């Protein structure tokens, strides 16, 4: 889940903070201090997160595009300049553009807005933006809610009292509401100082950047893992009981399925599953990432040399071309598989299915999947030539069952032509002739289209008179028989017009030796 | 969950005036080349208003059932002097075949029936009554919710296909529906099997013959009361009606249209040429979410079609095709229904997909690189439009698994775990399959995994017994939930066989990692092997009395000190000879190990160092072929190098 840090660099951020000590701080220094702490946390515990830095005043500027290089981010932060007034709407629009260009509209993003809460005056101020939010034309819409799933965290380098004294707090709250309630406002507690800014950013880190640790389990084989990005709670769009579902920290494998059988299933999100070593004190000593400090290197090497279940699982999944089904919570499943990137580096990946008892129609109900060895007969066949998947639905779809549709004249004409074509090749095509004839008859009866039956009967009678002398004698018999049956059906007489009934070929002296039974 | 689209009641007018011709003529006597001259072509046929209504409503249902095989239900009602209810809300009644059969039984309207006693009103009343009836889904939901059962909603839609006399007539029909709802809601309040209607949408479609002026005016959706809204569509019969119902089914069920373009198809006449065709598909509109949100809908090649009523997004057929063993990152999959189901291009495309092939679809862009955004693929006879992620991944360039914990270990039992995964593959069981202990299949799968992993060393150098073919029969059986007497016998035979090996002093595949020289002495090797075997069996001893018997057999048979002494005396002389065979044995085994290590290399892309430290003997050369070691292992040995190239 990429992060955009949107940093207020208007002049009001340079306001000094009164501190009893010797040094004098500006609000900007506190903001930089807090963000430094956030970047340091990410560099150690969340280093796969892409972060970008945008500074804004009346204009906005992308200082660092999405990157995992926290040194560059830190550097840009340290070299920040001061500009004019605050104009939040343009900056939010900028964030929206930056995110969409990089990640499209389906990737969830976190936006961390750092401001002193002085949100501008007059045109371009947040107050003005919010007042006019309902009067916008289509191409000048307010950037919130963002078109991508998002969380907006507002970090105020100010305390709550200060913000409530003006309408700043109200405006910020409105901002969160505009984003569908997705987000939160953080304010500083007590005097504005390094300590309180630390505590505020600490809360943000706990809320949004705490790594997700879990235990991956396959029976008695286990591995401690970090799941990245961390899976967020999911609310199913149901009117009856919308309770957000969270992924449990015990990821239990329930069994295995071939990749061909699971067949590119739709997923909610994808996550890396990184094995982690947990030391006796419970501290994590490395998530398997690169660029370790020297101290970590030795412990990491140790961890690298002791067997880990994730590596075994990954290797076998890759070689066998299989996925492991994993239970994420009650009635919620996902899959583990090996994923290789363009550089041939490969990894254990976990995808989450939609919560619910039957996320994939071709697998059926998840709770009804059991060990193949329990089945009376091996569903995969003794030589692995069969598969119990995909599950076939009870009824075939229209495109799989040769339905009759005559909405366009061409549909009807094609069907009549098919009958005539076969009529000309009687008796060789007797079976096909009657099959097509019965298909037309059924549809005509259902649609109450008796006139068509009469017409086709006439066509067949005429075909009969046009038969060449060389024609097989059976042809004439079959044509007049079929024509007569159609006419009877067109009378609506229940004896001849039953839907399930079929016109069968006439038994003639010739048909025994003819082609009737052969096809 | 229970929106208006959960229940759709179709009411089709079957009164005498519906027998009137639509006056759209269809030529069904097409002149063909072979036709001899002088034949007068037959007069064209024309459909009645009834036929037009039926086939368009069937088309509506066809699309609906294709896209939503469950949860969206249709109740089909025909009205003349009485009411004919052709099906119920039951899921099993929801298919076009049943409806067609029932319609055939009703037949076309009888023009000679007394018009005075016929009315579509009977059908509308029946439709309201029907909407009050609880569906299986509502029932299930109410049962699971218990206390909060009243939160299950009851909404529905009535689509009435009729020929109305005037706007006043339409208002009369609306009033009747409103009154009936109020009446029925009172009744429903006191019943368990009925539910009051909270919201009902009435869609009145007035059908009139071509070439006539309409007597009824179109009207947008209007709230008649808090429960009832109504809209009126005045449509000419024939293709206008068909496209109107096509638009309605899209509106009613949140569908959108995609046109697959550039489908290469062989020409019927000239088999060696191919032309490009287009096929239009309907599906849930979420498949276009990315376009809608990014405002790209028009850029993505969307165009207005036909009557200008609907929009379609154009996606291009893309070669090369994909294969089924590739796992695409797919963010959604939606069932499709072809708009023109039995046209040649449509059936060509659907048959191609039903035969198990998949097609990637490309977003046509004016400039820039090609973006593959969707994939068509069938699963179990149903075709789905998969939405593929086409934007940059946030997970790019992750650290390789070989750089993390356990990444430096080279001798994982990859092949053995692969075998383990095959043995623990899943299969669907019927809904009623719950075992004696009341466990669902998925719980049984978990408990099987627990049993199979009670003793499962992850690396080759950690185990002796799992590197010995001779142990396989026992190792396969002991993890099972129940053993037969025959199974116990097989296990005992395995143990006797090991005893025999020990007596002959056969070499064992003991790992020498970390130790210098030749490793442990032969006696010590067997002691290690017996200990490991005991560990394995002890882990399962609690499962049953027969499992216990296997352990007893091992305890009774395993090497005892006196015997060892005796063998030592006898064995001295043979040792030189043995060493030779052992070496030979090692050579052949080392080959096996090499292929194995190559696989590991392929899997973990790692350096070669440290490997020479391991010397593994996969098996004793003269151990007998086990009974149920699967032959597929042999073929498997040949496959992996190919796979690991990926």
């Amino acid at each position: 889940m990429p992060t955009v840090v949107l940093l207020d660099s208007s002049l009001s951020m340079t306001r000094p903070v009164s501190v009893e000590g010797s040094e004098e701080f500006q609000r900007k220094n506190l903001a930089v201090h807090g963000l430094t702490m956030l970047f340091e946390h990410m560099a150690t515990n969340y280093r796969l997160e892409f972060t970008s830095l945008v500074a804004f005043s009346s204009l906005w500027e992308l200082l660092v595009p999405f990157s995992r290089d926290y040194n560059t981010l830190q550097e840009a932060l340290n070299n920040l300049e001061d500009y004019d007034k605050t104009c939040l709407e343009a900056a939010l629009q900028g964030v929206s553009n930056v995110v969409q260009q990089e990640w499209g509209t389906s990737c969830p993003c976190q936006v961390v807005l750092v401001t002193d809460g002085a949100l501008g005056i007059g045109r371009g101020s947040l107050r003005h933006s919010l007042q006019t939010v309902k009067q916008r034309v289509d191409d000048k819409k307010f950037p919130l809610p963002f078109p991508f799933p998002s969380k907006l965290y507002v970090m105020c380098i100010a305390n709550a009292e200060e913000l409530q004294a003006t309408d700043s707090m109200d405006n910020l709250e409105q901002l969160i509401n505009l984003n569908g309630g997705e987000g939160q406002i953080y304010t500083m507690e007590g005097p504005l100082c390094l300590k309180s800014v630390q505590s505020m950013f600490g809360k943000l880190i706990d809320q949004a950047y705490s790594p997700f640790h879990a235990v991956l389990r396959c029976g008695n084989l286990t591995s401690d893992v970090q799941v990245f990005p961390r899976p967020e709670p999911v609310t199913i769009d149901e009117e009856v009981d919308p309770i957000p579902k969270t992924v449990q920290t015990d990821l239990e494998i329930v069994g295995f399925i071939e990749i061909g059988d699971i067949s590119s299933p739709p997923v909610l999100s994808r996550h890396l599953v990184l094995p982690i070593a947990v030391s006796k004190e419970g501290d994590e000593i490395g998530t398997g990432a690169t660029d370790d400090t020297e101290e970590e290197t030795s412990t990491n090497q140790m961890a690298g040399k002791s067997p880990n279940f994730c590596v075994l699982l990954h290797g076998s999944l890759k070689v066998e071309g299989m996925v492991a089904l994993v239970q994420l919570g009650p009635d919620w499943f996902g899959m583990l598989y090996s994923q290789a990137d363009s550089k041939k580096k490969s990894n254990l990946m976990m995808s989450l299915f939609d919560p619910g008892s039957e996320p994939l129609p071709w697998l059926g109900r998840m709770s009804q999947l059991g060990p193949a060895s329990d089945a009376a007969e091996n569903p995969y066949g003794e030589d692995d030539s069969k598969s119990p998947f995909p599950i076939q639905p009870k009824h075939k779809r229209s495109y799989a069952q040769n339905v009759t549709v005559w909405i366009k004249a061409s549909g009807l004409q094609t069907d009549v032509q098919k009958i005539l074509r076969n009529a000309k090749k009687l008796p060789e095509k007797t079976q096909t002739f009657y099959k097509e004839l019965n298909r037309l008859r059924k549809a005509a009866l259902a649609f109450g289209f008796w006139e068509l039956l009469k017409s086709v009967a006439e066509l067949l009678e005429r075909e009969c008179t046009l038969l060449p002398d060389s024609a097989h004698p059976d042809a004439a018999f079959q044509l007049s028989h079929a024509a007569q049956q159609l006419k009877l059906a067109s009378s609506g007489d229940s004896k001849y017009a039953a839907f399930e009934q079929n016109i069968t070929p006439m038994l003639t002296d010739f048909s025994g030796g003819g082609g009737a039974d052969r096809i | 969950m229970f929106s208006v689209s959960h229940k759709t009641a179709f009411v089709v007018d079957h009164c005498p005036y519906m027998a009137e011709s639509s006056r759209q003529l269809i030529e069904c006597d097409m002149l063909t080349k072979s036709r001899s001259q002088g034949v007068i072509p037959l007069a064209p046929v024309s459909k009645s208003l009834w036929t037009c209504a039926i086939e368009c409503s069937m088309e509506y249902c066809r699309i609906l059932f294709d896209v939503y095989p469950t949860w969206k239900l249709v109740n089909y009602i025909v009205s003349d002097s009485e009411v004919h209810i052709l099906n119920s809300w039951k899921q099993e009644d929801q298919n076009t075949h049943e409806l067609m059969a029932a319609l055939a039984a009703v037949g076309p309207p009888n023009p000679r029936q007394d018009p005075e006693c016929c009315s579509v009103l009977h059908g509308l009343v029946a439709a309201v009554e029907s909407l009050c009836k609880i569906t299986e889904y509502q029932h299930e939901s109410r049962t699971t919710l218990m206390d909060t059962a009243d939160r299950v909603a009851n909404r529905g839609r009535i689509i009435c296909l009729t020929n109305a006399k005037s706007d006043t007539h339409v208002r009369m029909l609306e009033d009747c529906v409103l009154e009936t709802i109020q009446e029925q809601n009172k009744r429903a309040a006191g019943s368990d099997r009925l539910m009051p209607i909270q919201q009902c949408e009435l869609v009145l479609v007035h059908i009139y013959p071509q070439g006539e002026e309409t007597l009824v005016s179109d009207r947008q959706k209007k709230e008649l009361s808090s429960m009832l809204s109504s809209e009126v569509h005045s449509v000419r019969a024939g293709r206008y009606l068909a496209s109107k119902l096509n638009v309605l089914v899209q509106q009613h069920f949140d569908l959108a249209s995609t046109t697959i373009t550039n489908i290469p198809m062989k020409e019927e006449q000239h088999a060696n040429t191919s032309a490009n065709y287009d096929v239009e598909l309907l599906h849930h509109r979420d498949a276009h979410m990315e376009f809608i949100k990014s405002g790209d809908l028009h850029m993505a090649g969307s165009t207005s079609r036909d009557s200008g009523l609907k929009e379609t997004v154009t996606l291009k057929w893309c070669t090369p095709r994909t294969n089924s063993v590739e796992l695409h990152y797919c963010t959604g999959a939606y069932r499709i229904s072809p708009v023109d189901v039995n046209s040649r291009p449509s059936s060509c495309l659907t048959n191609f997909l039903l035969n198990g092939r998949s097609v990637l679809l490309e977003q046509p862009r004016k400039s820039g690189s090609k973006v593959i955004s969707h994939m068509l693929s069938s699963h179990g006879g149903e075709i789905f439009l998969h939405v593929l992620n086409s934007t940059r991944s946030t997970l790019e360039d992750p650290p390789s698994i070989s750089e993390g914990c356990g990444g430096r270990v080279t001798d994982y039992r990859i092949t053995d775990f692969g075998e383990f995964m095959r043995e623990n593959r899943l299969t669907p069981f019927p809904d009623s399959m719950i075992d004696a202990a009341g466990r669902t299949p998925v719980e049984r799968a978990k408990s099987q995994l627990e049993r199979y992993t009670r003793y499962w060393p992850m690396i080759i150098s950690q185990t002796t017994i799992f590197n010995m073919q001779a142990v396989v029969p026992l190792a396969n059986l002991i993890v099972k939930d129940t053993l037969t007497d025959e199974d116990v016998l097989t296990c005992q035979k395995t143990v006797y066989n090991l005893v025999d090996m020990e007596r002959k002093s056969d070499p064992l595949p003991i790992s020498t990692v970390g130790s210098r020289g030749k490793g442990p002495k032969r006696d010590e090797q067997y002691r290690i092997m017996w200990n490991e075997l005991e560990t394995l069996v002890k882990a399962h001893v609690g499962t049953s009395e027969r499992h216990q018997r296997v352990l007893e057999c091992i305890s009774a048979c395993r090497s005892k000190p006196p015997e060892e002494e005796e063998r030592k005396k006898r064995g001295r002389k043979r040792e030189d000879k043995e060493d030779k065979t052992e070496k030979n044995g090692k050579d052949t085994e080392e080959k096996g190990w090499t292929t194995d290590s190559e696989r590991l290399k392929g899997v973990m892309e790692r350096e070669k160092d440290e490997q020479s430290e391991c010397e593994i003997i996969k098996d004793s050369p003269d151990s007998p072929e086990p009974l149920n070691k699967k032959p597929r292992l042999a073929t498997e040995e040949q496959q992996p190098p190919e796979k690991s190239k990926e």
Side-chain angles (χ1 to χ4, degrees), chain A residues 68 102 220 240 258 263 267 319-320 327 344 347 368 374 380 384 397-399 406 413 447 462, chain B residues 27 29 47 51 66 151 330 382-383 392 396 399 422 425-426 429-430 444 446 453 605 643:
Chain A
R68 285 173 179 156
E102 197 75 53
N220 295 293
V240 180
E258 315 264 347
S263 186
V267 300
V319 170
E320 299 286 339
Q327 182 148 21
K344 300 275 172 196
N347 247 297
Q368 293 307 117
D374 274 13
Y380 290 93
D384 249 3
R397 304 288 153 251
S398 70
Y399 45 80
W406 291 333
Q413 283 156 353
F447 297 154
R462 195 180 66 194
Chain B
E27 203 68 61
D29 188 13
K47 297 171 185 168
T51 300
D66 274 355
R151 277 157 64 185
C330 158
E382 288 188 287
I383 300 174
R392 184 180 166 192
E396 68 185 30
R422 295 188 166 275
R425 271 183 294 189
L426 298 169
F429 286 90
R444 289 205 308 274
K446 283 190 213 166
T453 54
E605 317 116 338
K643 280 190 186 170

Side-chain angles (χ1 to χ4, degrees), chain A residues 277-323:
Chain A
V278 177
S279 69
K280 274 168 202 158
E281 296 86 46
D283 299 334
E284 173 203 333
I285 49 165
T287 55
T290 45
D291 313 329
D292 296 318
T293 60
E294 271 177 49
E295 274 172 66
E296 280 177 342
T297 314
S298 62
T299 35
N300 258 11
Q301 272 177 1
M302 295 262 291
K305 280 182 181 169
S306 65
N308 190 293
F309 172 61
C310 281
V311 186
L312 173 68
L313 175 68
H314 168 266
S316 298
L317 289 175
K318 181 165 188 167
V319 170
E320 299 286 339
M322 293 175 94
V323 305

Side-chain angles (χ1 to χ4, degrees), chain A residues 17-31:
Chain A
V17 213
S18 48
V19 205
E20 48 272 33
S22 53
E23 263 186 295
E24 189 179 89
F25 286 117
Q26 295 174 356
R27 293 195 191 225
K28 180 182 143 189
N29 301 131
L30 293 181

Side-chain angles (χ1 to χ4, degrees), chain B residues 548-611:
Chain B
Q548 173 76 40
R549 267 160 55 195
V550 177
L551 180 65
E552 282 160 8
C553 171
I554 294 173
S555 313
C557 295
R558 69 168 293 179
S559 46
K560 292 176 190 80
E563 220 181 293
E564 274 173 27
E565 289 300 314
E566 197 189 321
R567 214 190 56 242
K568 262 183 195 165
K569 279 179 209 160
R570 282 195 292 113
R572 282 280 173 217
K573 292 168 200 166
R574 282 170 48 191
E575 205 157 85
D576 287 341
K577 199 174 136 199
E578 254 173 38
D579 271 349
K580 268 180 200 163
T581 55
E582 191 178 337
K583 262 179 196 152
N584 291 342
K586 246 184 207 168
D587 282 343
T588 54
E589 297 313 319
E590 266 169 358
K591 266 183 203 159
W593 162 233
T594 317
T595 48
D596 232 301
S597 80
E598 262 166 19
R599 291 179 56 179
L600 279 169
K601 254 193 317 192
V603 170
M604 310 189 345
E605 317 116 338
R606 40 157 313 97
E607 307 93 304
K608 279 183 201 155
D609 58 3
E610 300 165 5
Q611 271 183 16

Side-chain angles (χ1 to χ4, degrees), chain A residues 164-215:
Chain A
Q164 277 151 0
T166 63
D167 60 354
S168 289
M169 189 56 118
D170 287 345
N171 287 333
L172 289 173
E173 276 167 3
Q174 260 193 68
L175 207 58
I176 304 284
N177 286 339
L178 275 176
N179 202 36
E182 293 292 345
Q184 205 173 325
I185 300 167
Y186 292 90
T187 55
M188 290 171 66
E189 278 163 30
L192 303 186
C193 63
L194 290 179
K195 211 176 133 198
S196 55
V197 84
Q198 273 172 15
S199 120
M200 177 172 75
F201 273 87
K203 281 181 201 154
L204 172 70
I205 287 168
D206 285 347
Q207 165 78 27
Y209 297 98
S210 56
F212 184 90
H213 290 174
V215 179

Side-chain angles (χ1 to χ4, degrees), chain B residues 373-424:
Chain B
S373 58
H374 291 77
M375 176 177 77
L376 278 170
S377 185
S378 78
H379 311 281
E382 288 188 287
I383 300 174
F384 290 80
L385 180 62
H386 291 247
V387 183
L388 303 181
N389 182 64
S390 51
T391 50
R392 184 180 166 192
S393 162
T394 56
L395 297 178
E396 68 185 30
D397 202 17
S400 173
I401 193 145
S402 59
E403 293 161 23
C405 296
R408 300 273 156 219
V409 180
T410 55
D411 62 337
Y412 285 107
R413 294 171 59 205
I414 300 282
T415 313
D416 290 349
F417 197 72
E419 184 66 19
F420 168 90
M421 295 194 311
R422 295 188 166 275
E423 280 165 16
N424 285 287

Side-chain angles (χ1 to χ4, degrees), chain A residues 2 50 68 102-107 147 218-221 229 238-241 252-256 258-260 263-267 270 272 275-277 288 290 303-309 311-317 319-320 322 325 327 337 341 343-347 361-362 365 367-374 379-380 384 388-390 392-393 395 397-399 403 405-408 413 416-417 445-451 455 458-459 462 499-500, chain B residues 1-2 26-30 32 35 39-40 42 45-47 50-51 54-55 59 62 66 69 95 97 100-101 103-104 108 145 151 155 242 290 293 324-333 335-336 338 340-342 350 379-380 382-383 386 391-401 403-409 412-414 417-418 421-422 424-431 441-442 444-446 448-450 453-454 456 458-459 599 603 605 636 643 646:
Chain A
F50 280 99
R68 285 173 179 156
E102 197 75 53
W103 311 105
T105 54
S106 51
C107 174
C218 174
N220 295 293
L221 298 169
E238 271 177 46
E239 68 182 312
V240 180
D241 242 342
E252 195 172 8
I253 291 176
V254 299
F256 303 86
E258 315 264 347
I259 285 185
S263 186
S264 298
V267 300
R270 290 191 310 171
L272 286 167
I276 50 173
T290 45
K305 280 182 181 169
S306 65
N308 190 293
F309 172 61
V311 186
L312 173 68
L313 175 68
H314 168 266
S316 298
L317 289 175
V319 170
E320 299 286 339
M322 293 175 94
L325 270 197
Q327 182 148 21
Y337 52 97
D341 71 1
K343 292 175 189 157
K344 300 275 172 196
K345 281 183 176 179
S346 100
N347 247 297
W362 50 96
R365 283 172 96 91
S367 60
Q368 293 307 117
L369 295 178
S373 54
D374 274 13
Y380 290 93
D384 249 3
F389 303 107
Q392 302 286 333
H395 293 288
R397 304 288 153 251
S398 70
Y399 45 80
V403 291
V405 180
W406 291 333
I407 283 179
K408 287 190 180 164
Q413 283 156 353
V416 173
Q417 285 303 312
L445 288 174
F447 297 154
F449 199 0
W450 293 352
E451 198 187 334
S455 261
E458 279 172 42
L459 275 176
R462 195 180 66 194
F499 183 76
E500 296 298 350
Chain B
M1 199 162 24
F2 297 108
I26 304 162
E27 203 68 61
C28 65
D29 188 13
M30 306 286 281
T32 52
R35 173 77 29 85
V39 176
I40 306 152
L42 291 180
V45 290
S46 95
K47 297 171 185 168
W50 165 258
T51 300
I54 294 302
E55 64 178 6
E59 183 68 359
R62 178 187 73 76
D66 274 355
N95 64 81
H97 185 83
M100 299 263 280
L103 281 167
L145 284 174
R151 277 157 64 185
R155 310 188 180 108
E290 186 77 12
K293 275 189 177 168
S324 64
V325 282
E326 203 177 336
L327 210 50
H328 292 275
Y329 177 23
C330 158
T331 53
R335 289 184 177 86
I336 60 105
D340 202 357
V341 65
N342 45 13
T350 51
H379 311 281
E382 288 188 287
I383 300 174
H386 291 247
T391 50
R392 184 180 166 192
S393 162
T394 56
L395 297 178
E396 68 185 30
D397 202 17
S400 173
I401 193 145
E403 293 161 23
C405 296
R408 300 273 156 219
V409 180
Y412 285 107
R413 294 171 59 205
I414 300 282
F417 197 72
M421 295 194 311
R422 295 188 166 275
N424 285 287
R425 271 183 294 189
L426 298 169
T427 194
F429 286 90
D431 278 358
V442 80
R444 289 205 308 274
K446 283 190 213 166
Q448 175 164 312
L449 285 176
E450 190 279 320
T453 54
R454 282 188 197 159
W456 214 98
M458 288 196 279
I459 56 176
R599 291 179 56 179
V603 170
E605 317 116 338
E636 198 191 19
K643 280 190 186 170
E646 294 175 339

